[in-house]
């Protein structure tokens, strides 16, 4: 049971990394919704997806993390950017 | 200090609620359709965050079983099982190399070597993989509808579309 104690130490240090990621997560979510240029909103949403992917890697969900990296940060961002390029780039709010 | 610890322990859940409310707010109040969809995606990822947080354990690692675990537990299973034919099957599986493929799932169940508390719970992960894929397909369909609306009305602002619809009725 010594190994468990050691890992407990690692986990208790991990919360700082966790906190930093969560703060950035909320910040990017708010910025993505507040910015008026839709192309930058799409890019910042990609950053948001990548941050949440890092968070899930830290939580031990690697399968979810790489799916999110491929699908969330990759495909979703491409969908959003292509829609913005085909429609208008400006947003009223 | 206790308050701080309580906040740090449930940090993921606080952020989950905050992100979910940010997403809901965006879905309700934003006028731009793309902004609404970004809000919807944030709402979805917040729920994913909640479910993944449920599977986390203190001092646990990634839910992947190393190869040597499967190997040792198989031999032990062959020794432990009382009935002769199953013991025979276990021995055969350990001797034959290709027989090891189907055995492990049975062999792990009774093994004392594997402590489930050392691995994160993989069930929420599997459920959330499905949810991610459903979320991105929802986003794709909604964005294609947005493009259709743009070709129809020439705008992606909700209030302008509603105005055009209203003036068309009269």
């Amino acid at each position: 049971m010594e190994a468990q104690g050691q890992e407990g130490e690692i986990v208790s240090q991990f919360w700082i990394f966790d906190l930093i990621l969560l703060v950035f997560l909320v910040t990017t979510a708010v910025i993505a919704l507040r910015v008026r240029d839709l192309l930058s909103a799409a890019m910042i949403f990609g950053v948001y997806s990548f941050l949440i992917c890092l968070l899930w890697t830290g939580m031990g969900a690697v399968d979810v993390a790489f799916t999110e990296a491929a699908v969330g940060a990759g495909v979703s961002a491409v969908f959003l950017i292509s829609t913005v390029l085909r429609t208008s780039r400006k947003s009223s709010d | 200090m206790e308050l701080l610890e309580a906040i740090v322990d449930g940090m993921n859940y606080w952020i989950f609620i905050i992100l979910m409310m940010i997403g809901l707010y965006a879905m309700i109040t934003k006028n731009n359709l793309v902004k609404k969809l970004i809000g919807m995606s944030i709402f979805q990822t917040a729920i994913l965050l909640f479910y993944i947080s449920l599977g986390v354990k203190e001092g646990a690692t990634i839910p992947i079983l190393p190869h040597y675990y499967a190997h040792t537990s198989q031999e032990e299973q062959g020794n432990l099982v009382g009935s002769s034919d199953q013991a025979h099957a276990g021995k055969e599986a350990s001797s034959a190399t290709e027989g090891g493929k189907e055995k492990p799932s049975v062999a792990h169940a009774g093994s004392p070597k594997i402590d489930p508390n050392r691995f994160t719970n993989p069930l929420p992960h599997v459920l959330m993989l499905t949810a991610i894929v459903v979320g991105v397909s929802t986003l794709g369909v909604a964005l294609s509808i947005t493009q259709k609306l743009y070709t129809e009305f020439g705008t992606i602002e909700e209030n302008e579309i509603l105005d055009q619809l209203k003036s068309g009725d009269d």
Side-chain angles (χ1 to χ4, degrees), chain A residues 38-39 42 77-90, chain B residues 34 140 142-156:
Chain A
L38 284 180
L39 195 60
V78 169
F79 280 179
L80 280 169
I81 289 168
S82 64
T83 305
V84 169
L85 291 181
R86 284 173 67 100
T87 60
S88 84
R89 196 174 155 174
K90 290 209 166 53
Chain B
V34 176
L143 285 173
S144 68
I145 293 173
T146 307
Q147 291 184 14
K148 274 287 184 191
L149 282 172
Y150 184 75
T151 54
E152 188 80 20
F153 295 98
T155 177
I156 49 171

Side-chain angles (χ1 to χ4, degrees), chain A residues 16-48:
Chain A
I16 302 169
F17 179 68
D18 205 18
L19 179 67
I20 293 169
L21 276 182
L22 288 172
V23 169
F24 271 111
L25 202 63
V26 174
T27 320
T28 46
V30 170
I31 291 173
L33 291 172
R34 281 197 68 88
V35 77
R36 302 242 164 163
D37 184 6
L38 284 180
L39 195 60
S40 12
M43 290 314 293
I44 294 166
F45 182 69
V47 173
Y48 169 87

Side-chain angles (χ1 to χ4, degrees), chain B residues 55-115:
Chain B
V56 173
K57 294 172 192 163
E58 281 280 319
T61 180
I62 299 166
I64 295 173
L65 209 58
H67 179 66
Y68 60 87
Y69 273 4
H71 218 68
T72 50
S73 62
Q74 211 172 64
E75 284 173 7
E76 276 169 13
Q77 184 76 6
N79 294 336
L80 286 175
V81 171
S83 88
S84 62
D85 57 338
Q86 276 191 17
H88 189 63
K91 261 180 202 167
E92 258 187 4
S94 58
S95 61
T97 44
E98 76 273 4
K101 274 181 190 170
E102 53 176 29
K103 259 289 174 191
S105 59
V106 190
H108 293 158
S111 170
K113 290 256 179 184
I114 296 161
D115 181 13

Side-chain angles (χ1 to χ4, degrees), chain A residues 7 33 35 48 86 92-93, chain B residues 30-31 35 45 59 147 157:
Chain A
E7 280 170 15
L33 291 172
V35 77
Y48 169 87
R86 284 173 67 100
S92 68
D93 50 1
Chain B
K30 292 288 175 187
N31 245 328
K35 280 285 177 68
T45 43
Q147 291 184 14
E157 304 289 327

